């Protein structure tokens, strides 16, 4: 036993018993012990799933020790902490990450091999933790990884959905949704049944006079639902810091159902109450970049904000500091507007419960919050109807009205007689019914607002939030360009490339300082290095080709150019442009002579991504891709020159296999619509090139890697409005002539019943082509021809690939986190000494 020892003031005391693992102890012994005892399985009866559980438990033991120590250290040090509030955390698998962070993956591989297992198969047993839709949720996961790696005292707060994002099945070319129940056998979460918070809904507000004569408000007769904490350890890489992700689960407030009702024979309604409470955290809303204003979603938001804030305030109060010190101890970051109610909730706690004056409280609130905007798409900007809020959160609505009143008074002073301005910036939209504009509330309640790429941050300042720049000045707004964690997206997803880079750079330091990649440029002409680089890409492509064969039955030529677009299906992301381009390619090849065909660069066009279940157009795009796939892949005349693949159920673990296998990836959103994009970074970091528009982070990627290493095309953001104006809705306009041929083929039933796809063609021809598919079509196909030419020169292509990777240092979430820490949170890392 290591008994607790008192240490000098800067050091951290140890509480209770300390468990140490000898650094050289192989996980094998521990994993066998877990299989035989925790799982009660015999080694003779151990399948891959049991091997996974045993391995996970062995690594989990190690994480728990560091996790406890980190929490003790952070509590003891009591410095400012970051709280990252996100309704989505798209974590993917945890075991591989834990093995790499603990640093014993090789030992685990050997141990599993002795037992007769391949580590890849064992890792493959884990169910993805898919508590997110797409970019916003995955960014949150990458940020958690970097916060832990950089030793920031930071907590994530989210919801523990019983069902994550649905699983996608393709049946006869159509997307079908299957529920994703992911919680069975999840060794990575720890229920904290002792940490519960009562959350109120509905009820009414009572005004009363306090003893000191002050008029106060209390929220009464509310319905209560209980929030229960579930904790997930977030290990950093190359550090002992293991941070906490706390996910809240809902249950009926008594914890058991109403026995009075039960005894009175009203069994059904007793169960219904129980179920109603549990429904709050039951399911992740499957919309990406879209808000639908459903009451249950608002309940989710308040439930999670209130529970998290209660936790944060409780922790602060333990330190017995004055309230004015709250912003010196707490930085709360809002991942988009979903957690905006946290602003109102903190104000409510401070004035109604803690008795602070309005101004004093509001000053604390605004200093504590920061707001990140992730989209300018109007359909994604959250608004909640006033009657809905009035009913569900009556006290919060009053506070929102007061915040608005004081804000508008300030605006009126600064801009006298500008009624238009007042109605534009008001938190309340004067519609029927009235709506609360959550982005306005988030801006007014935060000290910093940031966008996620330079173009995007400029756009929010000049379009949707223009008035607020005038009111608050430009300093309230800033940019933090997104990144990705190189641990998952290079080291874990592409281990051989990571090893090759480490060999050249003399170690793995680049994984924690990605700018070191620039040293790779010195090896661009190194023959042996180039050969190995190319070989790794080939091997990754071969692995993907095998996967495609297994899952779709189609054989693809691993030497063909792999052209990939994987992301949520959305009109603004323009998968329709891609599939129209593919059809154009198909028609072109069909019209070629045998001689001409010899010059064609063989291609595999790979698509993947989910459509929101209610998003008809997106589902139609998936249907078209699958129909084209069927026709093209079965056309013996075209053979290997073109194959079209739709990979079912795209998720984080599939991305880890797909990104390293791409030659070219597509990031082709209509300029000004994709806030940043982060898969663009993942592909380039694995040595793939990009075809893309001047949108989001593509622009900064170009600046870093050089224009000669990326294929840019299409309309610029500044010209989009003008072009849209020229298209008149309902009036057929002259579309691009090559696109017209593609449409003719579709309408001639080449890919099945043309009626199935009429919405897609009509949106371009008759409905004003909002996403500029026709305008950009010519430059898109011409740029693809340039890609083909470039790919013929394999040596040049390789040089582009290596140079690009060497110049990707900027796009690490480590840089991102340091920027947030400096310019928004004002927090310091907590140095980790020896415990
Ligand atoms: C996404 C943006 O669409 C994407 O461009 C960006 O990379 C990502 O956020 C991370 O910043 N936004 C969403 O997914 C969303 O739903 C409300 O925004």
């Amino acid at each position: 036993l290591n008994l607790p020892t008192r240490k000098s003031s800067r050091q951290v005391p140890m509480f209770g018993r300390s468990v140490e693992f000898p650094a050289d102890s192989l996980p094998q012994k521990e994993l066998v012990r877990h299989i035989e005892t925790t799982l009660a399985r015999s080694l003779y009866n151990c399948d891959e799933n049991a091997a996974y559980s045993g391995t996970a438990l062995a690594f989990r033991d190690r994480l728990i020790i560091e996790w406890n120590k980190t929490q003790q250290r952070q509590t003891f040090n009591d410095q400012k902490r970051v709280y990252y509030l996100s309704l989505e955390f798209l974590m993917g698998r945890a075991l591989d990450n834990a093995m790499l962070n603990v640093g014993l993956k090789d030992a685990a591989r050997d141990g599993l091999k002795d037992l007769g297992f391949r580590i890849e198969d064992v890792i493959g047993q884990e169910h993805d933790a898919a508590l997110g839709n797409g970019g916003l949720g995955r960014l949150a996961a990458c940020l958690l990884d970097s916060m832990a790696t950089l030793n920031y005292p930071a907590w994530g707060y989210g919801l523990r959905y019983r069902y994550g994002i649905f699983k996608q099945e393709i049946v006869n070319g159509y997307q079908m949704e299957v529920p994703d129940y992911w919680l069975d056998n999840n060794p990575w979460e720890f229920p904290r049944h002792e940490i519960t918070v009562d959350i109120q809904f509905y009820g009414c507000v009572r005004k009363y006079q306090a003893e000191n004569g002050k008029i106060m408000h209390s929220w009464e007769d509310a319905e209560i639902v209980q929030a229960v904490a579930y904790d997930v350890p977030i290990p950093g890489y190359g550090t002992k810091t293991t941070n906490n992700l706390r996910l809240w689960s809902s249950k009926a407030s008594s914890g058991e159902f109403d026995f009075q009702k039960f005894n009175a024979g009203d069994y059904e309604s007793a169960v219904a109450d129980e179920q109603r409470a549990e429904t709050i955290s039951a399911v992740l809303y499957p919309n990406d970049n879209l808000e639908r204003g459903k009451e249950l979603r608002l309940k989710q938001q308040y439930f999670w904000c209130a529970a998290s804030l209660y936790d944060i305030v409780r922790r602060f109060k333990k330190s017995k500091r004055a309230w004015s010190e709250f912003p010196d101890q707490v930085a709360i970051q809002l991942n988009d507007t979903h957690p905006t109610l946290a602003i109102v909730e903190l104000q409510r706690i401070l004035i109604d419960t803690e008795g602070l004056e309005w101004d004093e409280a509001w000053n604390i609130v605004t200093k504590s919050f920061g707001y990140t905007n992730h989209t300018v798409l109007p359909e994604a900007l959250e608004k909640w109807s006033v009657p809905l809020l009035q009913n569900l959160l009556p006290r919060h609505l009053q506070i929102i009205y007061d915040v608005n009143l004081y804000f508008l008074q300030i605006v009126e002073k600064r801009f006298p007689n500008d009624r238009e301005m007042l109605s534009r910036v008001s938190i309340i939209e004067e519609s029927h019914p009235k709506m609360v504009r959550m982005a306005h509330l988030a801006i007014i309640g935060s000290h910093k607002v940031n966008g996620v790429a330079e173009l995007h941050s400029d756009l929010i300042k000049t379009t949707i939030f223009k008035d607020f720049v005038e009111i608050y000045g430009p300093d309230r707004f800033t940019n933090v360009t997104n990144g990705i964690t190189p641990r998952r997206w290079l080291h874990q997803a592409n281990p051989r490339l990571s090893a090759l880079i480490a060999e050249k750079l003399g170690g793995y330091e680049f994984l924690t300082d990605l700018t070191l990649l620039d040293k790779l440029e010195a090896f661009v002409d190194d023959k042996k290095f180039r050969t190995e680089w190319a070989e790794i890409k080939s091997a990754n492509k071969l692995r993907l080709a095998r996967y495609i064969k297994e899952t779709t039955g189609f054989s693809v030529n691993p030497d063909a150019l792999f052209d990939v677009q994987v992301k949520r299906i959305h009109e603004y992301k323009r998968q329709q442009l891609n599939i129209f381009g593919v059809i154009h390619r198909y028609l072109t090849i069909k019209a070629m002579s045998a001689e001409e065909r010899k010059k064609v660069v063989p291609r595999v066009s790979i698509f993947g991504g989910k459509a929101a279940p209610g998003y008809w157009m997106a589902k139609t795009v998936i249907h078209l891709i699958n129909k084209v796939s069927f026709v093209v892949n079965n056309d013996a005349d075209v053979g290997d020159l073109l194959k079209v693949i739709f990979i079912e159920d795209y998720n984080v673990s599939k991305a880890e296999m797909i990104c390293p296998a791409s030659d070219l990836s597509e990031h082709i959103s209509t300029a000004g619509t994709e806030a940043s994009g982060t898969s663009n970074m993942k592909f380039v970091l694995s040595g793939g090139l990009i075809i893309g528009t001047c949108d989001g982070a593509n622009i900064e990627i170009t600046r870093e890697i050089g224009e000669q290493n990326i294929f840019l095309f299409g309309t610029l953001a500044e010209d989009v409005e003008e072009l849209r104006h020229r298209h008149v809705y309902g009036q057929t306009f002259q579309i691009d002539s090559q696109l017209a041929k593609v449409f003719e083929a579709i309408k001639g039933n080449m890919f099945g019943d043309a009626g199935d796809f009429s919405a897609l063609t009509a949106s371009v021809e008759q409905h004003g082509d909002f996403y500029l598919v026709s305008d950009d079509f010519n430059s898109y196909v011409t740029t693809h021809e340039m890609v083909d030419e470039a790919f013929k020169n394999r040596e040049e292509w390789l040089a582009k690939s290596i140079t690009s990777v060497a110049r990707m240092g900027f796009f690490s979430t480590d840089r991102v986190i340091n920027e947030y820490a400096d310019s928004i949170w004002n927090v310091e890392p907590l140095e980790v000494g020896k415990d």
Side-chain angles (χ1 to χ4, degrees):
L1 278 189
N2 279 335
L3 288 174
T5 48
R6 271 267 155 232
K7 297 196 175 174
S8 66
S9 66
R10 277 288 298 171
Q11 284 170 318
V12 180
M14 297 293 304
F15 303 95
R17 205 168 79 117
S18 154
V19 182
E20 294 288 346
F21 289 98
D24 56 351
S25 130
L26 292 182
Q28 187 180 4
K29 232 171 49 204
E30 294 149 36
L31 112 84
V32 168
R33 182 175 60 81
H34 275 298
I35 293 171
E36 291 188 329
T37 60
T38 320
L39 305 174
R41 301 275 291 249
S42 128
L43 279 184
Y44 301 101
N45 172 26
C46 172
D47 56 12
E48 273 171 1
N49 200 267
Y52 161 71
S53 296
T55 316
L57 290 168
F59 277 92
R60 187 180 91 152
D61 286 348
R62 290 167 182 267
L63 290 195
I64 294 170
I65 306 304
E66 298 307 336
W67 190 27
N68 284 336
K69 286 184 190 166
T70 304
Q71 297 316 312
Q72 287 168 6
R73 190 159 56 230
Q74 292 181 0
T75 305
F76 181 75
N77 246 63
D78 198 29
Q79 67 187 61
K80 187 168 185 177
R81 288 182 219 220
V82 176
Y83 296 103
Y84 195 80
L85 268 57
S86 179
L87 211 38
E88 303 189 8
F89 288 95
L90 198 43
M91 305 297 286
R93 291 178 176 148
L95 175 59
D96 204 356
N97 185 244
M99 291 196 291
L100 290 168
N101 287 14
V102 168
L104 287 171
K105 187 170 177 182
D106 289 337
R109 178 182 288 110
D110 295 344
L112 285 165
K113 197 166 156 210
D114 287 350
L115 297 176
F117 297 103
R118 269 169 28 105
I119 194 168
E120 291 75 18
D121 301 334
V122 171
I123 288 170
Q125 292 297 308
E126 185 175 349
H127 203 112
D128 271 36
L131 306 184
N133 277 287
L136 173 142
R138 184 53 230 177
L139 179 74
C142 284
L143 293 178
L144 288 184
D145 182 81
S146 283
M147 289 191 279
T149 300
L150 294 169
N151 302 311
Y152 283 102
W155 283 50
Y157 276 108
L159 273 184
R160 176 182 179 267
Y161 303 107
R162 216 169 334 129
Y163 297 92
I165 187 69
F166 63 86
K167 286 189 173 302
Q168 178 193 57
E169 284 180 11
I170 302 295
V171 181
N172 294 327
Y174 291 98
Q175 167 177 299
M176 305 292 239
E177 297 95 25
V178 178
D180 168 50
Y181 183 78
W182 68 289
L183 287 170
D184 271 348
N185 275 329
N186 173 9
W188 305 108
E189 64 165 15
F190 293 79
R192 304 287 193 199
H193 294 297
E194 74 286 7
I195 302 177
T196 61
V197 187
D198 282 348
I199 307 297
Q200 294 181 281
F201 291 108
Y202 308 106
C204 56
V205 180
R206 190 174 64 88
K207 251 193 206 176
Y208 67 98
Q209 193 163 27
E211 278 170 17
N212 60 6
K214 201 168 143 189
I215 300 296
M216 302 284 287
H217 297 82
S218 74
W219 181 10
E220 298 182 352
D221 299 328
E223 200 178 293
I224 290 175
V225 177
Q226 208 172 57
V228 184
Y230 285 72
D231 288 348
V232 181
I234 308 292
Y237 175 85
T239 171
K240 289 174 176 293
T241 299
T242 302
N243 279 337
N244 194 26
L245 169 61
R246 177 158 287 177
L247 303 175
W248 297 104
S249 182
S250 61
K251 66 179 213 175
S253 81
S254 56
E256 56 211 74
F257 61 55
D258 188 334
F259 272 95
Q260 254 178 353
K261 276 188 184 173
F262 179 70
N263 289 331
D266 198 358
Y267 177 74
E268 271 180 38
S269 115
V271 175
D273 286 351
E274 174 89 10
Q275 284 179 343
R276 204 149 55 99
E278 288 181 7
T279 303
I280 294 178
S281 61
V283 54
L284 165 79
Y285 276 87
N287 301 317
D288 182 83
N289 267 294
L290 181 78
E291 280 309 316
R292 286 186 165 282
K294 289 275 196 302
E295 175 167 354
L296 181 60
R297 166 89 167 182
L298 184 61
K299 272 189 161 176
Q300 289 188 334
Q301 293 187 348
Y302 179 66
F303 172 81
W304 148 66
C305 288
S308 308
L309 254 243
Y310 182 89
D311 218 33
I312 294 168
V313 166
R314 182 180 50 79
R315 201 166 297 127
F316 171 77
K317 285 175 80 166
K318 268 200 210 154
S319 73
K320 307 232 175 329
R321 294 169 195 258
W323 278 110
S324 57
E325 287 179 51
F326 189 83
D328 304 327
Q329 291 299 104
V330 172
I332 307 176
Q333 193 63 26
L334 306 176
N335 198 21
D336 215 85
T337 54
H338 316 146
T340 303
L341 284 171
I343 290 175
V344 190
E345 176 69 0
L346 181 57
Q347 179 72 2
R348 185 187 73 86
I349 294 171
L350 294 179
I351 59 175
D352 289 0
T353 314
E354 301 295 332
L356 269 63
E357 295 300 327
W358 178 278
D359 287 342
E360 188 190 359
W362 188 244
N363 188 31
I364 290 169
V365 169
T366 52
K367 278 188 181 159
S368 305
F369 282 94
Y371 155 50
T372 306
N373 172 282
H374 294 269
T375 187
V376 293
L377 299 186
E379 64 269 31
L381 297 181
E382 283 192 298
K383 289 176 193 173
W384 289 107
S385 104
V386 166
L388 188 62
L389 274 166
Q390 168 72 58
N391 186 39
L392 192 69
L393 302 168
R395 178 62 183 139
H396 293 78
L397 185 64
Q398 289 181 342
I399 294 174
I400 291 171
Y401 268 107
D402 286 346
V403 169
N404 198 36
L405 177 73
Y406 300 134
F407 168 67
L408 291 180
Q409 284 172 350
I410 294 170
V411 178
E412 199 167 21
K413 262 198 205 131
R414 288 256 341 259
F415 303 88
N417 305 320
D418 192 346
R419 296 206 71 76
E420 289 285 302
M421 166 77 109
L422 291 182
S423 89
R424 282 199 309 269
V425 299
S426 171
I427 295 173
I428 308 295
E429 178 183 280
E430 296 294 329
S431 45
H432 301 286
K434 289 185 182 165
M435 304 293 271
V436 175
R437 298 157 163 159
M438 301 309 269
H440 292 199
L441 183 52
I443 296 172
I444 295 164
S446 302
H447 67 286
K448 268 282 183 317
V449 178
N450 75 285
V452 289
E454 273 179 23
L455 173 70
H456 170 66
S457 297
D458 285 346
L459 281 175
I460 62 177
K461 283 199 278 185
T462 50
T463 61
I464 51 176
F465 303 148
K466 186 167 181 262
D467 292 319
F468 290 94
V469 177
E470 278 199 45
I471 293 165
Y472 290 119
D475 290 351
R476 181 90 148 216
F477 293 82
T478 186
N479 171 248
V480 185
T481 298
N482 281 168
I484 56 174
T485 167
R487 272 76 65 180
R488 184 172 293 255
W489 298 108
L490 180 53
H491 195 45
Q492 181 180 319
N494 204 343
R496 283 189 60 196
L497 194 68
S498 183
L500 176 61
I501 294 171
E503 186 193 313
K504 283 291 158 199
L505 303 189
Y508 281 102
E509 281 73 30
F510 64 95
L511 289 177
T512 42
D513 177 1
L514 203 62
T515 61
L516 292 175
L517 284 180
D518 65 3
K519 307 240 162 11
L520 274 184
E521 280 209 51
F523 302 98
V524 177
D525 296 322
D526 177 332
K527 261 247 147 51
K528 185 164 159 279
F529 175 64
R530 289 167 79 110
T531 313
E532 286 176 43
W533 189 276
E535 211 281 305
I536 290 168
K537 179 62 79 183
S538 295
N540 290 333
K541 288 172 69 178
L542 196 60
R543 181 173 63 154
L544 180 59
R546 281 205 204 101
Y547 178 81
I548 290 172
K549 177 71 186 169
E550 272 165 32
T551 52
T552 68
F554 293 124
S555 303
V556 300
N557 171 9
D559 292 328
L561 190 163
F562 280 20
D563 167 352
V564 185
Q565 187 176 21
V566 285
K567 48 185 83 218
R568 286 299 290 253
I569 313 290
H570 214 299
E571 284 167 280
Y572 86 82
K573 294 180 189 282
R574 297 203 294 191
Q575 283 92 353
Q576 71 275 37
L577 174 62
N578 187 345
I579 193 66
F580 293 156
V582 169
I583 296 173
H584 167 76
R585 179 172 287 264
Y586 177 61
L587 299 176
T588 311
I589 295 171
K590 292 296 282 179
M592 281 178 174
S593 67
E595 223 20 65
E596 286 171 318
R597 287 185 188 191
K598 284 189 188 148
K599 288 187 222 132
V600 171
V601 176
R603 264 210 200 213
V604 184
S605 276
I606 300 166
F607 293 83
K610 295 174 187 178
Y615 191 173
W616 173 252
M617 284 294 254
K619 288 187 141 178
T620 307
V621 171
I622 291 177
H623 187 202
L624 179 60
I625 295 168
N626 281 289
K627 287 292 173 165
V628 173
S629 165
F630 184 78
V631 171
V632 172
N633 298 357
N634 289 307
D635 187 341
D637 177 43
V638 168
D640 269 356
L641 294 185
L642 183 61
K643 286 277 183 278
V644 182
I645 301 296
F646 189 92
I647 294 179
E648 202 174 61
D649 199 41
Y650 176 62
N651 60 16
V652 173
S653 50
K654 291 204 180 138
E656 288 168 27
M657 168 181 59
I658 295 168
C659 293
S662 96
D663 294 305
L664 181 78
S665 65
E666 310 232 359
H667 309 276
I668 58 176
S669 49
T670 311
T673 61
E674 188 71 276
S676 161
T678 44
S679 74
N680 40 11
M681 303 165 192
K682 293 164 197 168
F683 281 103
V684 178
L685 194 58
S686 253
L689 304 192
I690 282 186
I691 180 166
T693 44
C694 295
D695 200 18
N698 290 353
I699 298 173
E700 286 151 90
I701 291 176
T702 307
R703 188 158 73 210
E704 294 293 315
I705 70 176
E707 243 177 303
Q708 66 287 4
N709 296 319
I710 187 166
F711 299 94
L712 290 178
F713 74 96
T715 307
L716 299 179
E718 64 220 53
D719 301 324
V720 167
E721 260 324 290
E722 160 75 19
L723 275 176
R724 276 184 185 153
H725 262 299
R726 285 201 219 150
H727 313 161
V728 181
Y729 188 93
Q731 190 177 305
T732 309
F733 79 104
Q734 197 63 40
I735 66 167
D736 176 86
S737 58
Q738 301 186 94
L739 184 60
K741 296 219 174 82
V742 170
F743 283 8
E744 259 171 49
I746 295 174
K747 289 175 189 170
N749 301 321
M750 190 179 277
F751 308 105
D753 188 349
D756 289 352
F757 311 115
S758 57
L760 288 179
T761 50
S763 118
V764 178
E765 288 181 304
Q766 289 157 43
H767 301 160
D769 192 16
F770 190 76
Y771 298 100
L772 309 190
V773 171
S774 174
D775 301 275
D776 282 352
F777 195 71
N778 184 264
S779 74
Y780 179 61
V781 297
T782 316
T783 307
H784 265 302
E785 285 162 17
M786 290 163 59
V787 170
D788 288 328
E789 282 314 304
F791 197 67
K792 284 181 187 165
N793 187 344
R794 292 297 176 106
E795 290 303 317
E796 265 299 298
W797 188 279
L798 254 181
K800 287 181 198 293
S801 161
I802 298 168
T803 312
S804 301
V805 174
R807 297 177 182 175
M808 283 297 285
F810 181 72
F811 298 99
S812 164
T813 30
D814 296 345
R815 187 265 312 156
V816 176
I817 285 300
N818 283 325
E819 283 185 20
Y820 276 100
D822 285 352
S823 69
I824 300 176
W825 302 332
N826 193 25
V827 287
E828 299 285 340
L830 175 55
E831 284 309 328
V832 188
K834 288 237 159 43
D835 291 319

